[in-house]
Amino acid sequence: MLTWNFWLGVVLYGTSVCVAQDHFTENNDSDSADGYYHLPHPVRRVAVIGAGPAGLQFASTLLNHGFEVRMFERAPKPGGIWYYTERLPVPATFPNRPIETMAYVPDIPKQLPATRIYVDGQDGLTVDWRIREHWVPSSIWFNMTTIDAYASAILQILQPWRPARAQVTRHVRQYASSVGLNSNDEEHANVTSYWTRVERVEKVPGTEKRWTLTLRKLTPLRDGTLEVNWWQEQFDAVVVGKFSDNDAAWVPPIPGLKEWAQSLPNNIFHSRNYRRPQLFENQNVLIVGGSLSGIGIANDLIGHARSVTVSIRDVPSNPLLVVIRSWFHKNVTFISEIESFHNRPSALQGRLQGASLTLTNGTVVSGYDAIILATGYRQSLPFLKGYHNSTIKGFEEPETDVAPIITDGTHLRSLHWTGHYIDDPTLLLCTKFPWAVGTLQYQALGAAKVWSRKARLPSIAKMWQSYPGAAGILPEHPILSGMRTRLFLTWLNDEALEFGGPLVASPDLDSVRELLRYYTAKEYPRQISDFFEPGGFPSGERPRSQWDIYNGASFEPASFLNGDLATITKDSSLGHWADLSLQW
């Protein structure tokens, strides 16, 4: 499903220009006169953070290329966002914590290693609460479906547009087992560390520029107590295999909301704590927010709740508002944005029905049994403490001593298009959808080749020179991934010709494009489906005749059809490949 970030990305990709940065050091030891980045030390040991679809593919690829890998996952099993459980995250905080700790607050004892045993009720906390705070169970709900035509195609589901949550979950677990990375696999027991949360990733002086990870692992014991262990490990490189940001719930600063939520936590909560519609039988439910979670939950409640009302921001100048509303069930009622919550919580006597809300248009509404805040999430990676800078808002590009990766939580920045952190390419963040036309597998392969010195990156100076600015590296939607796929294919195959090794075959991009076009035309109103029709590109976009030409690298059509290796005619240089324009 298309989000506001997707449409913002379309505009920014089509209009952004490369922004020269001054973050690099002129005499950086890792740069040389040949214009390429050179690793300051051999990379042998790599940490992968997360065992979702992204982390599993990175770990498997790196293992296949001879690296010593350790994969850390805070949940008890693989799956990441697709690991469904009836267990709920601890309630979201009102108001939000700072971006640096919005996802969780790292817990690091003064002396390491350390071990502690917790009993129920110790320090006023239950063992169950400690487990849920550490784990942050996924935000997906029981009846959730995913709208991803390519994911559906590779899962070989008969009705490709809406694979069920359970189907995707099974697929991810099957993949984990197939590569020996499931929680019960002995093959790579020295690789996987489940129930383990990463508290800190940092460069510690005296460790030869290696990364030090501070780790926290839970072990629920049979007597009902909880054992917690902390320790540190060193690595030559780190992969943040975490695409989803659904653990950092964001709540709007609406006057009165904090007091209401604290007084009625079972009636007012963030959408990440929603699981089943049966819990809302015959209730009047208000959903705040009209993005993916709001749409999915509202439609899931139809047939169970007495009424479903959605508070959505009214932006008359935005034509997509009509499109967004069309995705809701016809029985959903819409109201304007909430301006404030009335009544003191003490006057409600534990009941939400007596409360009233004022909308931005002046209307006062009441009579709701539950309020679900489908207000989204923010990017927050507390373990990267030194790479947050929440003083930077939006897509500003101020000069800073340390190039930040996360600022206001709406996006990632300071990354090369390959996902490498520009100032230190031994740190890489997953920036690809796991099923986006295979782009993630190319990103994982690129990491393995760069760190084994079988592929090159431009020098740090050149990476900053071609950096498109924070607005240019928004997480790409699967529909846009074809352009990055060609970019990865050209780069990887050019490096294979330079250093030896097999060429990389291209996915069947034409078939995937046809699948996407068919289902968008079938699923969406004309305003969106026109965008994907031949000749339906906005003015200034590349015509269909140029879809298979990418910055001087052309791919023979036959290679898409018969699975052979892509045939490349290359007349461009590495320095030009980061200068992109929007195309398929």
Side-chain angles (χ1 to χ4, degrees):
M1 191 173 288
L2 307 182
T3 66
W4 295 111
N5 275 348
F6 162 68
W7 292 107
L8 179 61
V10 168
V11 174
L12 293 173
Y13 266 109
T15 61
S16 65
V17 295
C18 293
V19 180
Q21 301 289 320
D22 294 325
H23 291 296
F24 64 86
T25 303
E26 291 289 349
N27 297 317
N28 192 300
D29 292 338
S30 300
D31 281 359
S32 65
D34 63 3
Y36 294 104
Y37 169 78
H38 294 269
L39 290 166
H41 53 77
V43 174
R44 298 187 180 89
R45 198 163 193 261
V46 182
V48 176
I49 301 174
L56 290 167
Q57 290 185 63
F58 269 102
S60 176
T61 300
L62 291 165
L63 285 168
N64 290 338
H65 282 77
F67 291 94
E68 179 186 347
V69 177
R70 288 276 280 156
M71 184 179 69
F72 302 104
E73 168 58 54
R74 64 192 179 189
K77 297 177 182 178
I81 188 66
W82 290 106
Y83 175 22
Y84 176 79
T85 174
E86 294 287 336
R87 227 164 184 166
L88 302 177
V90 297
T93 56
F94 296 82
N96 301 300
R97 286 196 299 261
I99 289 293
E100 291 82 353
T101 57
M102 187 177 286
Y104 61 88
V105 179
D107 174 26
I108 305 175
K110 292 183 179 180
Q111 299 293 328
L112 296 173
T115 299
R116 294 177 185 171
I117 302 293
Y118 293 97
V119 299
D120 216 29
Q122 184 176 338
D123 301 325
L125 301 175
T126 64
V127 166
D128 178 69
W129 190 95
R130 293 182 189 276
I131 289 174
R132 292 185 294 121
E133 186 277 333
H134 172 100
W135 171 6
V136 189
S138 170
S139 60
I140 62 175
W141 55 91
F142 185 77
N143 296 320
M144 183 176 177
T145 59
T146 179
I147 299 182
D148 186 337
Y150 187 73
S152 305
I154 65 171
L155 291 174
Q156 298 180 344
I157 296 171
L158 295 180
Q159 296 180 354
W161 192 248
R162 293 185 182 272
R165 178 269 314 164
Q167 292 172 298
V168 181
T169 297
R170 284 195 297 270
H171 171 74
V172 177
R173 289 187 182 178
Q174 288 169 356
Y175 175 78
S177 295
S178 72
V179 294
L181 294 174
N182 213 324
S183 55
N184 58 351
D185 284 324
E186 296 182 359
E187 177 184 357
H188 292 310
N190 61 329
V191 172
T192 59
S193 184
Y194 287 94
W195 280 119
T196 304
R197 191 174 76 184
V198 179
E199 304 294 272
R200 187 76 73 234
V201 175
E202 58 189 338
K203 290 288 185 74
V204 177
T207 58
E208 299 178 355
K209 299 184 178 180
R210 302 179 78 199
W211 294 97
T212 296
L213 270 63
T214 302
L215 305 158
R216 180 182 193 262
K217 182 172 184 175
L218 301 189
T219 304
L221 303 178
R222 291 184 178 181
D223 61 1
T225 61
L226 183 68
E227 180 180 305
V228 183
N229 286 280
W230 292 264
W231 75 101
Q232 291 182 325
E233 294 186 29
Q234 280 71 45
F235 297 90
D236 302 308
V238 176
V239 173
V240 181
K242 174 185 177 295
F243 182 83
S244 171
D245 57 355
N246 285 19
D247 53 352
W250 184 83
V251 296
I254 302 174
L257 175 57
K258 172 185 174 182
E259 291 75 18
W260 278 37
Q262 291 176 345
S263 178
L264 302 167
N266 295 326
N267 302 88
I268 305 174
F269 53 90
H270 194 272
S271 60
R272 71 176 184 174
N273 284 54
Y274 175 84
R275 289 295 182 268
R276 294 174 182 262
Q278 290 82 359
L279 299 176
F280 302 87
E281 292 287 347
N282 298 316
Q283 293 188 20
N284 298 312
V285 181
L286 171 62
I287 297 174
V288 181
S291 192
L292 294 179
S293 297
I295 296 168
I297 293 173
N299 294 342
D300 195 38
L301 287 168
I302 296 297
H304 296 275
R306 181 184 297 114
S307 68
V308 180
T309 304
V310 175
S311 170
I312 190 171
R313 185 176 300 170
D314 191 7
V315 186
S317 61
N318 195 330
L320 286 179
L321 186 62
V322 177
V323 177
I324 294 295
R325 288 190 175 187
S326 72
W327 290 334
F328 286 95
H329 191 278
K330 63 180 181 180
N331 291 337
V332 171
T333 301
F334 297 97
I335 61 175
S336 297
E337 194 173 1
I338 299 173
E339 183 176 85
S340 64
F341 287 73
H342 288 307
N343 310 107
R344 291 189 177 185
S346 58
L348 300 179
Q349 299 180 342
R351 297 187 61 191
L352 182 59
Q353 279 232 346
S356 58
L357 306 86
T358 298
L359 308 182
T360 54
N361 62 6
T363 304
V364 177
V365 296
S366 62
Y368 299 109
D369 300 291
I371 298 178
I372 301 175
L373 301 171
T375 48
Y377 303 84
R378 292 292 185 267
Q379 291 279 1
S380 175
L381 300 174
F383 52 81
L384 287 174
K385 179 181 179 181
Y387 301 91
H388 281 72
N389 190 336
S390 58
T391 65
I392 301 174
K393 305 301 181 183
F395 297 116
E396 300 171 352
E397 296 284 352
E399 293 301 323
T400 56
D401 293 334
V402 177
I405 295 175
I406 291 181
T407 52
D408 60 3
T410 61
H411 59 281
L412 301 175
R413 59 170 69 202
S414 306
L415 304 178
H416 189 46
W417 61 263
T418 57
H420 295 86
Y421 177 55
I422 294 177
D423 278 347
D424 189 342
T426 59
L427 173 64
L428 183 143
L429 280 78
C430 172
T431 56
K432 311 300 172 194
F433 277 81
W435 294 306
V437 200
T439 315
L440 178 67
Q441 63 183 310
Y442 298 132
Q443 186 182 22
L445 180 59
K449 285 184 172 291
V450 167
W451 291 337
S452 60
R453 295 177 173 170
K454 295 179 181 178
R456 299 162 297 183
L457 292 173
S459 67
I460 290 176
K462 286 190 174 183
M463 283 191 279
W464 277 121
Q465 289 167 359
S466 63
Y467 177 60
I473 56 172
L474 288 172
E476 66 187 46
H477 192 276
I479 292 176
L480 292 180
S481 63
M483 61 181 182
R484 282 293 174 90
T485 298
R486 294 186 177 90
L487 190 59
F488 269 104
L489 283 167
T490 304
W491 170 54
L492 290 170
N493 284 328
D494 182 55
E495 297 302 286
L497 293 174
E498 181 74 21
F499 296 100
L503 297 179
V504 181
S506 169
D508 188 353
L509 291 178
D510 284 341
S511 295
V512 172
R513 186 185 298 116
E514 292 299 323
L515 186 64
L516 287 168
R517 185 185 298 112
Y518 170 77
Y519 280 105
T520 50
K522 179 175 180 291
E523 185 80 12
Y524 299 131
R526 198 68 188 171
Q527 296 98 315
I528 288 185
S529 61
D530 278 350
F531 183 83
F532 304 105
E533 290 295 317
F537 287 96
S539 176
E541 300 297 345
R542 291 181 180 269
R544 182 171 185 169
S545 62
Q546 297 183 26
W547 281 358
D548 295 321
I549 302 174
Y550 202 79
N551 275 2
S554 62
F555 301 87
E556 296 295 334
S559 66
F560 293 103
L561 301 176
N562 59 24
D564 293 340
L565 296 178
T567 302
I568 298 178
T569 303
K570 174 179 171 294
D571 56 16
S572 61
S573 66
L574 185 66
H576 295 150
W577 290 339
D579 186 12
L580 307 179
S581 58
L582 178 64
Q583 62 178 15
W584 286 90

